[in-house]
Amino acid sequence: MAYQIPLFNLNFDEREAQAAYDTIKSGWISTGPKNAELEQMFRDMWNVKYAVSMSNCTDSLHVACMVCGFGPGDEVICPSLTFAASCNCIRYVGATPVFADIVGPDHINISPEDIERKITPRTKGIVVVHMAGFPARMDEIMDIARRHNLKVIEDACHGPLSEYKGRKLGTIGDCASFSFFSNKNISTGEGGMFITNNEEMERQARLIRSHGMSTMSYQRATGHATEYDITCLGYNFRMDDIRASIAIEQLKKLPADLQTRLNVRRRYVERLSQMEQVVVPFADNQEFVSNYIMPVVLKNSTKERRNKVREFIHAAGIQTSVHYPAVHLFSTYRELGAVLPQTEYVTDNEITLPMYAALTMEQVDFICDTLRQALEQS
């Protein structure tokens, strides 16, 4: 059905179209000057030493696991309340994901206490996902990592420019990954970015991204090199310049877009806080965040009731989603036997409401009124 209020909208206009057109007309469309420009923008805006563009966030997470040295026999702790890529990347390198629970319905990020409980002599790292763009409890997580000599990867795909105590998400752990998928705050259809302050990690990531080649085509085409060596086993994880040119325009718009989203969220929180049957995760957050999505969790509910509520909302022309089905309950991960009561409750009772800068206050009110009616009738 065509929804009157969709879950998200694409923040595109003639600027993205012109940027793509100009890149196509330039005669260089594979990884080249636009990727270099985008990487520099990330270094400047995140105040980070290194940024390496990637074909998508999943590939960036794969690279992150490789440069962190994870491999067969290792365990890496991760949340289950996330998209599967956050956990699949651990398996790509032969390591084993160990699922930790979330804090609870009011803070749907990975629990530092459960991380500590899950550490064994085989634990080599932690993948942290900043759900909805809100920061995990990074002081505690980094303290755990230091005490146990663990690497920390931040999956910051929900949180471009989100902050934790004045630091940008993605700059706190050893390395981080961002997504430019079509429904993200920065959208190019597909694409991603790897960032780090570790010079050796950046060197490895840049080699892995392009078949382990010591020089890339653009360097040779511009006369900066005439030949190349294959220095390691690499992959084709490159972003093309067409997408990079679109990402540049998206990044220019991002600060203003996030400021407007703050106003949308304030209206949501004001209205939703009046509903006794609803928990708004991160309602007390005071940090600047991306507000990628607008999750709510039903109290004292069941999956069946949650689904009925969603059906009522959909019938009113409002699109919703669920972020996310629990990864540890998927067939491919069920054999690991994880039991995560907080995650399982939230994944059965969470509803993602529409969130984007173009939402009007009247639309937010309509969404909240419809949710209230759905709860009364379910």
Side-chain angles (χ1 to χ4, degrees):
M1 64 180 291
Y3 290 101
Q4 176 186 345
I5 303 177
L7 188 67
F8 79 101
N9 74 337
L10 196 58
N11 187 20
F12 272 28
D13 55 35
E14 68 281 353
R15 284 170 283 186
E16 285 82 4
Q18 187 64 50
Y21 176 81
D22 291 344
T23 298
I24 292 168
K25 293 292 287 184
S26 76
W28 193 273
I29 61 172
S30 58
T31 309
K34 288 299 178 181
N35 272 267
E37 182 180 347
L38 177 63
E39 290 172 351
Q40 186 60 54
M41 289 180 74
F42 259 80
R43 288 193 290 270
D44 291 343
M45 294 177 74
W46 270 258
N47 192 27
V48 67
K49 290 181 180 178
Y50 307 108
V52 183
S53 60
M54 295 281 172
S55 47
N56 54 62
C57 185
T58 302
D59 292 338
S60 179
L61 288 166
H62 186 175
V63 169
C65 287
M66 294 178 72
V67 302
C68 283
F70 304 154
D74 295 339
E75 294 178 349
V76 180
I77 298 172
C78 63
S80 173
L81 191 67
T82 182
F83 184 62
S86 310
C87 317
N88 290 347
C89 62
I90 299 167
R91 276 191 163 173
Y92 293 158
V93 296
T96 300
V98 175
F99 294 106
D101 213 345
I102 57 172
V103 175
D106 60 336
H107 184 100
I108 54 176
N109 277 322
I110 194 168
S111 162
E113 291 81 6
D114 205 36
I115 290 174
E116 187 110 48
R117 283 191 290 267
K118 299 294 172 63
I119 291 174
T120 75
R122 295 183 296 279
T123 306
K124 294 297 186 292
I126 308 165
V127 174
V128 177
V129 179
H130 301 293
M131 272 291 294
F134 291 85
R137 287 158 49 180
M138 291 304 293
D139 282 351
E140 296 162 72
I141 291 169
M142 295 307 297
D143 177 66
I144 292 168
R146 282 188 288 270
R147 286 189 283 107
H148 295 276
N149 193 28
L150 307 177
K151 299 293 186 187
V152 175
I153 297 170
E154 292 181 77
D155 181 342
C157 69
H158 291 190
L161 297 185
S162 291
E163 295 183 357
Y164 176 76
K165 299 185 177 180
R167 299 179 66 182
K168 297 286 190 296
L169 298 187
T171 67
I172 302 167
D174 292 277
C175 56
S177 296
F178 293 86
S179 173
F180 305 155
F181 186 62
S182 60
N183 61 8
K184 294 298 190 293
N185 298 88
I186 305 168
S187 175
T188 65
E190 291 286 356
M193 188 68 69
F194 169 93
I195 67 171
T196 185
N197 283 310
N198 184 299
E199 182 178 7
E200 179 58 21
M201 285 186 174
E202 187 269 350
R203 186 191 70 81
Q204 292 182 45
R206 202 167 287 279
L207 286 171
I208 292 167
R209 176 184 70 168
S210 188
H211 303 287
M213 297 167 68
S214 57
T215 63
M216 292 184 63
S217 299
Y218 187 69
Q219 293 171 287
R220 298 191 295 278
T222 53
H224 294 290
T226 57
E227 57 186 26
Y228 65 86
D229 186 19
I230 299 292
T231 62
C232 68
L233 179 63
Y235 298 82
N236 183 357
F237 289 165
R238 300 184 299 257
M239 179 193 291
D240 61 77
D241 261 22
I242 299 172
R243 286 182 174 83
S245 69
I246 295 171
I248 289 167
E249 297 305 316
Q250 287 276 284
L251 204 50
K252 291 175 183 176
K253 295 177 179 180
L254 185 62
D257 181 87
L258 299 190
Q259 284 291 343
T260 305
R261 283 173 180 252
L262 284 175
N263 296 328
V264 174
R265 178 173 171 83
R266 287 193 190 104
R267 185 58 158 254
Y268 263 128
V269 173
E270 177 187 345
R271 291 296 313 277
L272 294 169
S273 63
Q274 301 170 20
M275 300 183 194
E276 293 183 358
Q277 299 182 63
V278 169
V279 175
V280 181
F282 313 111
D284 60 350
N285 176 75
Q286 300 299 315
E287 308 274 3
F288 179 81
V289 297
S290 64
N291 284 301
Y292 164 57
I293 56 173
M294 187 65 215
V296 297
V297 181
L298 306 188
K299 294 181 183 178
N300 304 314
S301 184
T302 63
K303 184 175 183 179
E304 291 71 26
R305 181 176 185 241
R306 188 274 309 276
N307 291 345
K308 288 180 181 178
V309 170
R310 289 188 67 206
E311 289 169 6
F312 185 99
I313 296 171
H314 292 173
I318 302 165
Q319 185 180 16
T320 71
S321 187
V322 172
H323 285 78
Y324 291 95
V327 175
H328 74 284
L329 297 179
F330 286 138
S331 298
T332 189
Y333 286 108
R334 201 172 295 148
E335 65 186 25
L336 296 178
V339 178
L340 309 173
Q342 296 286 359
T343 295
E344 290 169 21
Y345 182 84
V346 168
T347 201
D348 282 349
N349 293 285
E350 188 270 344
I351 301 174
T352 303
L353 303 175
M355 167 55 80
Y356 44 92
L359 274 176
T360 66
M361 297 300 107
E362 291 76 16
Q363 287 175 315
V364 173
D365 287 343
F366 176 60
I367 293 165
C368 293
D369 289 341
T370 305
L371 173 60
R372 178 180 49 77
Q373 294 167 16
L375 292 170
E376 290 172 351
Q377 297 189 27
S378 64

